[in-house]
Amino acid sequence: MEIINRLLGINANGDKKSYLIGLERGRIWASEDADYFTMREWGQLNLREIEAVLPNNEETHFMILSSESPLEWESYVKGWIEGVKEIASRY
């Protein structure tokens, strides 16, 4: 969460910042919130296969984070999926 807080401190709106925050949130979700099967399912998805809907309360996390600092949805989702894939690859 420390990384996310640091990135939120950057007031600029940008794809890289959104991607990195999404990446960290995906890692957190996969390692703390998701069960094994759900994590594997999301970790195997291709970005073209998903609609812009994330599981559980992840959209709420995005809205809260974007209220603190401007974020780009598509870049956030790309990062989120990559973060989940990173954790899923460890299993």
Side-chain angles (χ1 to χ4, degrees):
M1 196 66 178
E2 182 179 328
I3 293 170
I4 292 174
N5 289 332
R6 283 186 186 168
L7 290 166
L8 288 173
I10 302 169
N11 288 327
N13 187 7
D15 289 330
K16 288 181 184 179
K17 177 179 81 169
S18 300
Y19 176 86
L20 292 172
I21 290 173
L23 181 71
E24 188 63 19
R25 270 302 312 155
R27 290 172 180 156
I28 292 168
W29 177 82
S31 59
E32 296 178 9
D33 298 332
D35 63 47
Y36 173 78
F37 296 106
T38 305
M39 177 197 47
R40 295 291 294 177
E41 181 181 318
W42 278 92
Q44 294 173 353
L45 288 178
N46 185 320
L47 276 175
R48 287 174 255 141
E49 295 174 331
I50 65 166
E51 296 178 23
V53 177
L54 297 177
N56 302 330
N57 293 322
E58 287 303 304
E59 276 190 63
T60 303
H61 282 288
F62 172 80
M63 295 174 108
I64 291 168
L65 294 170
S66 64
S67 72
E68 296 178 30
S69 182
L71 298 175
E72 299 292 330
W73 174 251
E74 287 184 29
S75 297
Y76 180 88
V77 171
K78 286 178 187 177
W80 192 91
I81 294 292
E82 288 303 315
V84 173
K85 286 182 178 190
E86 179 183 308
I87 300 300
S89 72
R90 297 178 186 173
Y91 293 93

